[in-house]
Amino acid sequence: MGRTMKDTRLDVAGLLAHGSLRGTTPLYLTPASALVESVVLVSHLEAIQRVRPNTVVVLSAEMGSGGWLVSAALRHAWERRASAVVVAGSTYSSAVIGLAERLGITLLAAEGNPAGVALALAAEIGAALSVMDAELARFARAVAKDSALPDVLKTISRELDGVSVSLEHDGVVLASTGTAPRDPAKVITVDVGAVDASVPSALTARLPASGVLNLRLVRSILEVAAPSVKAAWLLGNSRETVRAVPTAALARLSQGQGSSGKDFEEDHRHLLSQLGWRRHERYAAVWFCHSGLHTPANDLTAVLRLLWRKVSPRSPLAEVEDGWLALVPAAHQAIAAQLELRLKTRLQPSLAELGLVAGLSRWAYEAPPLPSIIQEARLAAVSARSAGQGTVLGFMGLGVTAATTFIDRDALALVAELTLPRLMASPDREAIVAAVASFLDHRGSVSLAAAALDVHRNTLQARLGRARELGVPLDNPSQLLSVHLLLDVLRAAAPGKQAFKDPYETRKDSHEFPV
């Protein structure tokens, strides 16, 4: 729409060259030609205080007869950011023209009655607006033909000479097209309305600050396109819901403990076949969930599905209990690695802003049963919560440490308070906790534990003896796992190294053993 957008954009220079202002005499012209969106004929100064920006102020013949009235009109018009001031033809002093120059506002003198200039200019503005209305009607018909959101955005961008157009949700770009300006941009935003979410979404255009686009027309185009954008978004989301049915159904199937993948596929072979899942095919599972323990009230499914298209548009995203799930074909390990990389590079910032985390299953040479990879992805996502919003975590790098994710550390600290009261009350508690925890970390090796703590082995042995005196059960193998968990929590909560003098500490270069 480049030609029409520029032709319907009226400015002072164009109107002077071949428009309704050709019959006026410039007394002063600003270096930059101002836009013209309206015209007003005024017969008293107070009327100028009500005009809108980008208005040509035409003074009646009576007002333009006195130099002081013109000076006052110039000041009022400048305050209202008027495009120009037109006065009756006369000989004006250099002081009036100098004032227009200092204020930076165009001053024109009409050869005849200024009212004729106002009428001619009003007709020209009306004609331009009628052309604009016709163009908007044509554009509305064109954009209504598109049913897919990417096509709708492309149609809008083409209409705006290829500028950047995006659909945004709470500042997160869900979909975009066009070329983003390199120089500072003029941003025009139109509300699209809520789509399965409590936070309204917006249609945004970013225009070059140095461009010649008609900003008023740009906003009108976005307003006309907003219903089509919302309709395409809703239609796309409903289609994705239908496509995601097999994934959602698979998420509800469970594999019994101890049963093999072969047993699972045999038990559900007819259902898996009807849902479209192929036996022995490798998939990578991706699970999204909220980073907090409590799920926000707003529904992010429609938003997350648009973001997911940036990662794997052919794999539907299903809304499941406690999150969202997608299964991506991954015949080779490189495909699974690329999937994790795309999640981190394309979605991580958006996930952080939305308060979400993501988990991925691991890739195996022998295709694991589908419920197993779903469980891996979910465990990885839950484990990612402790690392903060936006975290993308793969189960491959997590392994058995995923178990610690589900430990209630506050509950363990309470257990320590109740079951080890003498240790918790001891002034040398931090040193004893660190010693015993390190001892257990190193599978009962005094030498390795002492080296890790940078103390003499005699010092470590003394601390272990002190721990036994304080009631820590180090000689019962069935209780060592629980002791290790308790002390690990206490060690993590310690504010720092102890400030007191440890009576059990022996220098590494000493051979004395404290009694």
Side-chain angles (χ1 to χ4, degrees):
M1 184 178 176
R3 180 190 60 79
T4 305
M5 288 180 64
K6 296 179 178 65
D7 289 347
T8 58
R9 198 183 87 115
L10 302 179
D11 58 44
V12 173
L15 293 172
L16 282 171
H18 47 73
S20 52
L21 296 180
R22 283 180 299 175
T24 62
T25 301
L27 301 178
Y28 172 72
L29 292 176
T30 58
S33 180
L35 289 176
V36 175
E37 296 180 350
S38 61
V39 60
V40 61
L41 177 66
V42 300
S43 56
H44 52 86
L45 288 175
E46 290 76 9
I48 304 178
Q49 298 176 357
R50 297 190 295 270
V51 302
R52 296 178 298 175
N54 300 331
T55 298
V56 174
V57 177
V58 180
L59 303 184
S60 64
E62 295 77 12
M63 279 197 64
S65 59
W68 72 271
L69 283 173
V70 175
S71 297
L74 283 172
R75 292 184 181 277
H76 287 312
W78 169 75
E79 291 174 354
R80 303 299 299 170
R81 292 181 295 166
S83 304
V85 174
V86 180
V87 297
S90 180
T91 302
Y92 288 94
S93 66
S94 58
V96 171
I97 299 174
L99 177 61
E101 182 177 0
R102 289 195 302 274
L103 294 175
I105 186 169
T106 295
L107 179 61
L108 307 174
E111 295 182 359
N113 190 335
V117 175
L119 291 174
L121 182 55
E124 192 166 3
I125 293 173
L129 291 177
S130 65
V131 172
M132 184 185 299
D133 291 339
E135 291 294 340
L136 289 175
R138 176 195 58 77
F139 168 71
R141 291 191 296 270
V143 78
K145 296 178 181 179
D146 299 320
S147 58
L149 181 60
D151 295 335
V152 174
L153 295 181
K154 289 178 181 177
T155 299
I156 300 171
S157 179
R158 285 196 300 267
E159 195 73 13
L160 299 178
D161 294 348
V163 302
S164 174
V165 178
S166 60
L167 176 63
E168 301 179 5
H169 172 84
D170 200 18
V172 177
V173 178
L174 305 180
S176 63
T177 189
T179 304
R182 295 181 179 180
D183 55 343
K186 296 178 181 177
V187 179
I188 299 180
T189 299
V190 171
D191 184 25
V192 173
V195 180
D196 292 339
S198 62
V199 180
S201 302
L203 183 61
T204 302
R206 287 175 170 80
L207 316 175
S210 57
V212 293
L213 297 178
N214 187 336
L215 301 185
R216 182 177 178 184
L217 182 56
V218 171
R219 177 172 291 278
S220 298
I221 288 174
L222 296 183
E223 291 173 348
V224 168
S228 296
V229 171
K230 185 174 182 178
W233 189 2
L234 286 170
L235 179 60
N237 188 49
S238 64
R239 288 173 175 172
E240 286 296 305
T241 300
V242 174
R243 291 181 60 218
V245 167
T247 303
L250 183 60
R252 291 185 173 272
L253 299 179
S254 60
Q255 178 182 350
Q257 290 185 350
S259 63
S260 65
K262 183 177 181 180
D263 293 336
F264 172 82
E265 292 181 348
E266 183 63 27
D267 293 340
H268 301 287
R269 63 183 185 278
H270 296 300
L271 179 59
L272 292 176
S273 176
Q274 291 177 353
L275 292 175
W277 300 110
R278 299 178 181 178
R279 300 181 65 180
H280 310 302
E281 184 169 345
R282 295 184 180 90
Y283 292 90
V286 180
W287 189 288
F288 297 95
C289 65
H290 295 282
S291 59
L293 296 178
H294 302 288
T295 303
N298 59 317
D299 182 4
L300 295 178
T301 300
V303 172
L304 192 56
R305 279 177 174 157
L306 284 182
L307 292 174
W308 174 246
R309 290 181 61 85
K310 301 178 182 180
V311 177
S312 182
R314 296 184 179 180
S315 301
L317 183 69
E319 182 179 6
V320 294
E321 187 178 3
D322 299 328
W324 299 266
L325 171 67
L327 291 171
V328 181
H332 306 287
Q333 188 173 5
I335 297 177
Q338 292 173 359
L339 175 62
E340 183 172 357
L341 179 62
R342 287 198 299 269
L343 276 169
K344 291 180 177 179
T345 56
R346 300 179 185 181
L347 285 197
Q348 202 161 32
S350 298
L351 293 178
E353 293 186 32
L354 295 173
L356 303 176
V357 295
L360 293 92
S361 62
R362 57 185 169 177
W363 191 88
Y365 286 98
E366 294 185 5
L370 291 175
S372 295
I373 66 170
I374 292 174
Q375 292 167 358
E376 287 182 0
R378 185 175 182 274
L379 286 175
V382 174
S383 300
R385 286 172 169 170
S386 61
Q389 299 177 354
T391 300
V392 177
L393 183 61
F395 192 83
M396 178 67 74
L398 193 60
V400 295
T401 58
T404 60
T405 302
F406 302 93
I407 293 175
D408 188 337
R409 291 184 171 269
D410 292 335
L412 286 182
L414 179 59
V415 171
E417 290 280 355
L418 297 174
T419 60
L420 302 172
R422 286 184 291 165
L423 173 67
M424 299 301 292
S426 176
D428 55 354
R429 181 186 70 185
E430 293 175 19
I432 302 302
V433 166
V436 177
S438 181
F439 175 72
L440 296 176
D441 287 344
H442 294 86
R443 294 180 293 180
S445 173
V446 175
S447 299
L448 294 178
L453 293 174
D454 195 24
V455 299
H456 196 277
R457 58 178 287 117
N458 291 350
T459 300
L460 183 65
Q461 287 178 330
R463 292 177 181 175
L464 295 176
R466 173 66 172 161
R468 292 183 175 92
E469 293 175 1
L470 295 174
V472 180
L474 293 180
D475 302 316
N476 188 341
S478 64
Q479 294 182 327
L480 287 183
L481 175 59
S482 298
V483 171
H484 200 176
L485 289 173
L486 292 176
L487 297 182
D488 187 60
V489 170
L490 296 178
R491 178 173 53 179
K497 295 182 179 180
Q498 67 276 14
F500 56 84
K501 174 64 178 178
D502 185 359
Y504 298 95
E505 182 172 359
T506 303
R507 296 183 181 274
K508 297 180 72 174
D509 57 353
S510 173
H511 300 286
E512 297 180 1
F513 186 82
V515 180

